[in-house]
Amino acid sequence: MDKIKIAIADDNRELVRLMSDYLSGQSNMEIVAVAYNGKTCIEMLKQHQVDVLVLDIIMPYLDGIAVLDAIKEDENLRGIDVIMLSAFGQESIMSQAAQYGASYFIMKPFETARLAIQINHIMQNRKDGKKPKNEEAEIDELITSLIKEIGVPPHIKGYTYLKEAVSLVLKNPDILNKVTKELYPGIAKNLDSTPARVERSIRHAIEVVWSRNETQHISKLFGYSKEHLASKPTNSQFIAMVADSIRIESKL
């Protein structure tokens, strides 16, 4: 069986060594390249076949966001799944990283075993028949555009959680009937959070939108009457509204 080809980019050399040693010890994983700054990272991705990139947000020369942008613009690199490493207090940067295509986040400090689990999760999703990366990117852009247009501020935690919630619902509509048992835990797992924090953050994002009296704008976006939107929707209702709109626009 082919091993999972992994690249690591982080300016913390000791952390890179720890991750490399642990992941190399997994029977199904192989470290094909490492980089200690963003510029070198882009060069190494062009020189090596990589399945998963473990990428730090803050690095010298070019940061993680710039690397994500380079991956997005290069057809030969778009198939790489990216796990972002982020320190606490970088929520606004995480939101930006999500917009640029990062699918997974792990907060520092973390157990290396947690990283291995996430890498296996990514590859299992590929085997289970996830949509091609380019099609997923198009849907992600639709989600990002609509959530921004609704008026959810990108710097709050609920922004990223809402994006992930809509993405999961589009893949599995039935999960809306299992919000507490499956949806929130699924978001928490993918974004290294907790179900309670996910629920609170999404509720806060909706409260921010409604406190700004955006209902008239939202009624035009979704085709609901202002009277229908007079009462603030629940988390699941709001997620369903966004997912339905994306589904119609993308013809899923």
Side-chain angles (χ1 to χ4, degrees), residues 110-239:
F110 60 89
E111 296 291 334
T112 46
R114 163 77 174 138
L115 178 59
I117 290 171
Q118 191 64 76
I119 291 172
N120 281 318
H121 175 69
I122 289 171
M123 299 309 293
Q124 186 60 49
N125 279 345
R126 286 191 185 183
K127 291 179 182 178
D128 290 344
K130 283 181 66 177
K131 296 178 185 293
K133 187 80 172 183
N134 58 346
E135 186 176 346
E136 284 199 344
E138 290 177 6
I139 294 173
D140 183 72
E141 288 177 5
L142 286 174
I143 297 171
T144 299
S145 177
L146 184 55
I147 290 178
K148 277 185 175 181
E149 195 169 358
I150 289 167
V152 180
H155 67 277
I156 65 175
K157 292 180 181 178
Y159 175 90
T160 302
Y161 295 149
L162 268 172
K163 280 191 59 180
E164 184 70 11
V166 174
S167 178
L168 291 175
V169 169
L170 287 173
K171 294 170 185 174
N172 177 20
D174 289 341
I175 203 172
L176 265 177
N177 299 319
K178 307 168 186 176
V179 172
T180 303
K181 292 185 177 180
E182 293 189 18
L183 182 58
Y184 294 153
I187 297 168
K189 181 179 179 180
N190 288 349
L191 299 180
D192 202 38
S193 184
T194 65
R197 186 179 301 161
V198 168
E199 189 276 333
R200 288 196 307 268
S201 298
I202 291 178
R203 186 172 67 244
H204 174 250
I206 296 171
E207 288 171 351
V208 168
V209 173
W210 254 252
S211 69
R212 293 179 173 181
N213 294 317
E214 298 279 2
T215 52
Q216 183 174 356
H217 179 57
I218 294 173
S219 69
K220 293 179 180 178
L221 286 175
F222 295 118
Y224 291 102
S225 66
K226 285 185 64 178
E227 291 73 20
H228 182 84
L229 297 171
S231 298
K232 184 180 63 181
T234 65
N235 285 9
S236 57
Q237 288 171 337
F238 188 76
I239 293 166

Side-chain angles (χ1 to χ4, degrees), residues 44-140:
M44 83 173 175
L45 292 178
K46 293 179 179 179
Q47 295 171 3
H48 298 272
Q49 182 181 345
V50 176
D51 296 313
V52 178
L53 170 64
V54 181
L55 176 65
D56 191 25
I57 285 183
I58 305 300
M59 291 186 297
Y61 301 110
L62 292 174
D63 62 14
I65 303 297
V67 173
L68 285 172
D69 190 33
I71 292 174
K72 185 178 180 181
E73 295 299 319
D74 191 325
E75 287 188 12
N76 295 321
L77 302 181
R78 288 176 191 165
I80 299 173
D81 282 288
V82 180
I83 297 177
M84 298 297 297
L85 305 181
S86 173
F88 286 103
Q90 295 179 337
E91 287 84 2
S92 61
I93 303 178
M94 287 171 61
S95 295
Q96 190 177 4
Q99 293 177 50
Y100 276 75
S103 301
Y104 304 87
F105 294 86
I106 294 182
M107 304 297 288
K108 293 180 178 181
F110 60 89
E111 296 291 334
T112 46
R114 163 77 174 138
L115 178 59
I117 290 171
Q118 191 64 76
I119 291 172
N120 281 318
H121 175 69
I122 289 171
M123 299 309 293
Q124 186 60 49
N125 279 345
R126 286 191 185 183
K127 291 179 182 178
D128 290 344
K130 283 181 66 177
K131 296 178 185 293
K133 187 80 172 183
N134 58 346
E135 186 176 346
E136 284 199 344
E138 290 177 6
I139 294 173
D140 183 72

